[in-house]
Amino acid sequence: MWMGDYPILPAKDLKTGEELHKIVDENKDKLLGKTCIEKFGGVVPFLPKILSIAKALPLQIHPNKQLSERLHKQNPDKFPDPNHKPEIAIALGPFEVFAGWKDQSDIQSLFDELEPLKKFVPEQHSNFDHEALKQICLNILKTSEQETARTQEELAKIPKEKYGKQGYILDVLPRLQKQYSKEDPGNLVAVLTMNFLQLSAGDAIYVPADAPHAYLSGDIVECMARSNNVLNTGFCPRADRDDIELFTSALTFGPHNAEEVKLGTRKTEKSLNGKTSEYAPPMSEFNMLKTSLKDGEKDTIKAIAGPSVVFATSGSGKLMADGKSHDLSEGYIFFVGQGIEVQYEASKGLEVYQAYAE
């Protein structure tokens, strides 16, 4: 589920049932503030979400703003807005994900050394640059289902040591095949060209627009720019896959190794008691605060010059804001207008996230 004012499946006031986008629209100045309105218009510019992933989600990209504007004009039913959708994902526990591109040398070593893959490499290429990688992805995605399955069967017969440090491919590939099939070309694109990350609670990644990604397993906090545009090309039924030429033409080639995908945390000046850290992706629409409290501990988040969405992922306690006290437990969600100081107090170990814009 996501928690925001996007008109498709918007959050609602628990007491009245009124949709958040209507509440915000009627109280823009009070809830969003002048700065947010000037930068992003009269909307909450981000969408937080909780995902619990038991089966690999589609291999996809989110188109950049220029492409989104064009696709929205051409097909507003499929692409319901003209915005881009860079996002972050924060692990609540063990989290497996394909995200971004491997180092070019790692990709090249596979396609140079493994015979079943050489057919995907363009004939005219002097080095393994981005154009060659784009063509390789296109060639894989356009391959017949029979040839896709045959390639994976051939890869499975190659000794693990031939893969070097990428021997994990032989462990991950059967898992993907069981979830979808050997005929799914996303299996090859993911394991051969993309970073495979196994993250722990608190670890995070940043996925820019046009960057490929697929979430495999785990529970996460996700937050994205306010959009619902997506292009799928694997880990989904054929009928759900988007145009291959469009998908590959939209690809960009950063990040280009596992470390570039990861998003660290920093201390935040918005915390009075130092119990809160901050995820700050390289985008303007939002940052994410994470407050971790032991039994009886407190922290106060200074007033922010823009809207926030607050939600608890574990524990219980109180949220105090605007002179009122509210129960706060796992699964509770609050919308906080601009200029409001928020205090958290834990009765039982409390973890709270606060997405905000300003």
Side-chain angles (χ1 to χ4, degrees), residues 307-322:
S308 298
V309 173
V310 172
F311 50 99
T313 56
S314 64
S316 60
K318 295 287 186 181
L319 179 153
M320 285 74 75
D322 204 22

Side-chain angles (χ1 to χ4, degrees), residues 99-103 106 194-197 199 204-205 255-263:
W101 305 99
K102 295 179 183 180
D103 186 90
D106 290 340
M194 296 171 63
N195 299 299
F196 175 58
L197 302 174
L199 305 179
I205 62 171
H256 225 313
N257 61 59
E259 291 305 310
E260 289 181 7
V261 176
K262 296 177 182 178
L263 177 66

Side-chain angles (χ1 to χ4, degrees), residues 136-279:
I136 285 171
C137 290
L138 180 62
N139 291 343
I140 292 174
L141 293 171
K142 292 174 72 173
T143 299
S144 69
E145 292 186 347
Q146 293 81 3
E147 185 62 25
T148 298
R150 187 180 303 114
T151 300
Q152 293 175 64
E153 291 166 358
E154 293 171 347
L155 290 174
K157 296 175 183 178
I158 298 175
K160 202 167 192 176
E161 56 266 24
K162 291 287 188 180
Y163 289 82
K165 64 182 179 180
Q166 301 179 74
Y168 67 86
I169 288 173
L170 293 180
D171 300 320
V172 176
L173 199 52
R175 292 175 53 192
L176 299 175
Q177 293 166 349
K178 287 179 181 178
Q179 291 189 11
Y180 293 98
S181 72
K182 287 184 179 180
E183 290 77 25
D184 193 321
N187 297 345
L188 292 174
V189 172
V191 300
L192 299 174
T193 70
M194 296 171 63
N195 299 299
F196 175 58
L197 302 174
Q198 295 177 299
L199 305 179
S200 302
D203 293 339
I205 62 171
Y206 168 65
V207 181
D210 296 336
H213 58 287
Y215 299 154
L216 268 67
S217 67
D219 297 334
I220 64 171
V221 170
E222 187 183 41
C223 195
M224 63 203 74
R226 189 182 188 271
S227 176
N228 195 29
N229 294 326
V230 62
L231 292 169
N232 297 320
T233 193
F235 303 163
C236 59
R238 178 171 291 276
D240 294 339
R241 298 174 199 166
D242 289 296
D243 180 80
I244 294 171
E245 299 281 354
L246 175 61
F247 179 90
T248 53
S249 67
L251 290 172
T252 52
F253 293 92
H256 225 313
N257 61 59
E259 291 305 310
E260 289 181 7
V261 176
K262 296 177 182 178
L263 177 66
T265 61
R266 67 187 188 193
K267 292 183 179 180
T268 178
E269 297 180 352
K270 299 188 182 302
S271 165
L272 290 184
N273 297 343
K275 303 294 183 181
T276 299
S277 56
E278 185 163 11
Y279 299 89

Side-chain angles (χ1 to χ4, degrees), residues 51-57 94-96 179 214-220:
L51 287 175
S52 186
I53 306 147
K55 182 179 181 181
L57 300 183
F95 172 42
E96 295 181 308
Q179 291 189 11
Y215 299 154
L216 268 67
S217 67
D219 297 334
I220 64 171

